[in-house]
Amino acid sequence: MAVRRDHGGDLDRAARAWGAGDWLDLSTGINPVPYPLPGIPPRAWTALPTAADMDGLAAAARAAYGTAAEAVPLAGAQAAIQAVPHLAPPGPARVLAPTYNEHAAALRAAGREVAETHDLAALAGAAVAVVVNPNNPDGRRHDPAALAALATRTGLLVVDESFADTDPGLSLAPALAGLPNALVLRSFGKFYGLAGLRLGFALCAPALADRVRAAAGPWPVSGPAIEIGTAALADTAWRDATRARLAADAARLDAWAARAGWTLAGGTDLFRTYAAQDAAAAQDRLARARVWSRVFPYAPAWLRLGLPPPEGWARLDAAL
């Protein structure tokens, strides 16, 4: 049986432990006000995506992420994470921890020796080094110039920017043209609120992009994902308004958490991680009101909350 790793969005577990019902799921970091779906032409459902379709989506991604590097569309950032062990040169891997657990898990599943470290400088010398920027779940941030320097001292540097849409100044993407061994991962579904679409991108130099495409195979994303992603990535007005709304909502959530006696441990404008003294007890209290949160086995005080949708704030207020 496959190992099921700990993730947010596990409402099945919540229902088993606290009962079924109308749950408000705040255990993930997904924008609760998604991009409005455009009209999807019938051809997107009935025909295989063409090279021109994929090229249009890639061009929209390059413009949105401010890079001259290649943008390879994939079935979510997770698809790139699965490919990383096969893209890096032989040798041990190092992951800046604690962080999203799929990175180390995918490397170990491919037979890599993996060391987890809290020190960015300790990643130097690894065959493959992984940094999540901004980090999940503590929001730790790294200067792109420091990451560019680190890339010169690793076999392959992977920078997961799944939560960077709200803080574009953190992105390494604009510097990728001079970094042939750096791979930036971007998630579409989190910021655009369409996680079920399963769309993401690998940004990198052309030679590495060719290897990513070969690993992904033909038609790695669907026709509807191409249509929606191309439209959304080009919508700068929606992107700017969404950044402002998410920042205001994150500040509102911080104020409510402080009222509950929690202190901010970190996060991004898509999720907040709080020190709640006893996170399991806090999760239980919220769950009894059918509000689902995220706790972490390695940090018993940490409780993570995503942002509620507009109609969910009153429920969270009552639960708190």
Side-chain angles (χ1 to χ4, degrees):
M1 179 181 295
V3 175
R4 188 181 182 90
R5 289 183 279 275
D6 180 50
H7 293 294
D10 53 344
L11 281 180
D12 290 342
R13 186 170 76 84
R16 285 194 302 270
W18 284 273
D22 180 21
W23 282 87
L24 175 62
D25 187 5
L26 304 184
S27 67
T28 67
I30 298 168
N31 181 357
V33 183
Y35 186 79
L37 296 178
I40 300 176
R43 178 187 166 278
W45 298 100
T46 60
L48 290 171
T50 66
D53 296 333
M54 293 287 284
D55 289 345
L57 175 59
R62 288 195 300 272
Y65 300 138
T67 186
E70 296 285 305
V72 183
L74 298 165
Q78 185 64 43
I81 292 171
Q82 299 300 128
V84 162
H86 311 289
L87 300 172
R94 296 175 193 156
V95 176
L96 194 65
T99 195
Y100 181 54
N101 61 28
E102 287 295 330
H103 287 287
L107 289 160
R108 290 188 176 110
R112 294 266 182 171
E113 176 188 339
V114 180
E116 298 185 43
T117 177
H118 300 277
D119 181 9
L120 183 70
L123 299 178
V128 54
V130 179
V131 179
V132 179
N133 190 40
N135 191 43
N136 173 21
D138 62 6
R140 185 179 179 187
R141 287 157 167 77
H142 304 279
D143 181 66
L147 296 177
L150 178 62
T152 66
R153 305 196 301 275
T154 60
L156 174 68
L157 175 66
V158 178
V159 182
D160 183 342
E161 296 184 355
S162 288
F163 290 100
D165 291 80
T166 60
D167 197 351
L170 284 179
S171 181
L172 185 63
L176 283 174
L179 300 172
N181 64 325
L183 180 67
V184 168
L185 314 185
R186 298 295 295 238
S187 166
F188 174 86
K190 292 179 175 63
F191 179 75
Y192 290 91
L194 297 169
L197 199 65
R198 305 312 305 135
L199 178 61
F201 299 90
L203 311 179
C204 53
L208 186 53
D210 287 342
R211 297 178 62 201
V212 175
R213 291 188 188 97
W219 315 299
V221 297
S222 69
I226 292 172
E227 293 288 334
I228 295 167
T230 303
L233 288 165
D235 194 336
T236 56
W238 185 91
R239 183 165 69 238
D240 291 344
T242 296
R243 283 175 179 155
R245 177 184 55 78
L246 291 171
D249 283 354
R252 181 184 183 186
L253 188 60
D254 287 346
W256 287 21
R259 189 185 68 198
W262 305 338
T263 58
L264 182 65
T268 73
D269 285 347
L270 282 166
F271 66 85
R272 313 301 275 174
T273 300
Y274 300 106
Q277 192 168 21
D278 185 344
Q283 183 185 55
D284 177 76
R285 178 158 60 97
L286 292 173
R288 292 180 188 279
R290 297 300 184 271
V291 175
W292 191 226
S293 57
R294 177 81 190 277
V295 296
F296 301 89
Y298 53 80
W302 281 4
L303 180 83
R304 194 186 71 185
L305 292 176
L307 302 177
E311 69 278 7
W313 285 95
R315 285 186 61 186
L316 178 59
D317 186 32
L320 288 172

